Amino acid sequence: MHNSLITKKVIAHSLKELMQSTPFQKISIRDIMGHAEIRRQTFYDHFQDKYELLAWIYQQEASENIEDYLDYEHWSKVIVRLFTYLKENQVFYVNALEVTEQNSFDHYFFEHIQSLILTIASDLLKEEAVSISSDYLTFFCSYHSHAFVGMTKAWLLTKCQLPVAELSQNIEKTLKLSLLEGLK
């Protein structure tokens, strides 16, 4: 692993740990770097501000938990993996949901979920040996990405009460039924 990536991950880990007990808005760069035991200037070698760091965490972790697995794991397992990860990091993501001024979780999560939904729709269409118009596919992916993000936020905010397996199965069933209904 390149030193720059290692340093970014250490800084990100520090912020995530701090957010276990402190709201994002109250955490300073000094706090982050003090907790990481790295000199403050190093932060600015990698990030402009704490919002950019937060965005980097979203991008990095969504990529690690979604895109990196889609090439060799069935999408249904990726959904389970994603919800398991979010549940394990629930406190961080609940605190991250409070950040709305810039680099919101919704925005980054939505982008990655659209990629996942497109993969799911493509696989389901192949299984059914049918095709749909690109306009409807775009609508389907956008609509269900918004629903997925909304359900995920609600699930996180209710302390992940619904078990991961049940939530994952419900989403899988909903996507299948919706796509098959759209073919009629």
Side-chain angles (χ1 to χ4, degrees), residues 5-20 32 35-36 38 47 53 56-57 61 89 92:
L5 183 58
I6 292 170
T7 303
K8 284 181 170 184
K9 285 189 174 227
V10 169
I11 294 169
H13 181 73
S14 177
L15 175 61
K16 286 181 72 176
E17 283 190 348
L18 289 169
M19 284 178 67
Q20 295 296 314
I32 296 166
H35 187 268
I38 300 175
F47 305 103
L53 167 59
W56 185 84
I57 291 170
E61 294 183 351
N89 292 274
F92 168 75

Side-chain angles (χ1 to χ4, degrees), residues 84-125:
T84 300
Y85 168 78
L86 290 171
K87 185 174 183 174
E88 290 167 356
N89 292 274
Q90 174 193 356
V91 174
F92 168 75
Y93 281 101
V94 166
N95 285 335
L97 286 171
E98 293 176 14
V99 178
T100 57
E101 50 272 10
Q102 58 178 308
N103 298 342
S104 71
F105 171 68
D106 301 40
H107 173 74
Y108 290 97
F109 193 53
F110 179 81
E111 287 178 12
H112 291 281
I113 294 304
Q114 269 196 306
S115 162
L116 175 62
I117 300 293
L118 179 59
T119 299
I120 292 169
S122 298
D123 285 357
L124 292 173
L125 290 167

Side-chain angles (χ1 to χ4, degrees), residues 40-75:
R40 189 169 177 252
Q41 183 54 42
T42 303
F43 181 91
Y44 296 104
D45 294 339
H46 301 283
F47 305 103
Q48 289 182 353
D49 57 26
K50 67 182 187 177
Y51 292 95
E52 185 178 344
L53 167 59
L54 192 60
W56 185 84
I57 291 170
Y58 298 153
Q59 287 290 117
Q60 186 71 21
E61 294 183 351
S63 177
E64 288 174 357
N65 287 285
I66 299 173
E67 279 87 6
D68 292 354
Y69 288 97
L70 278 177
D71 289 337
Y72 63 90
E73 251 185 12
H74 190 266
W75 55 264

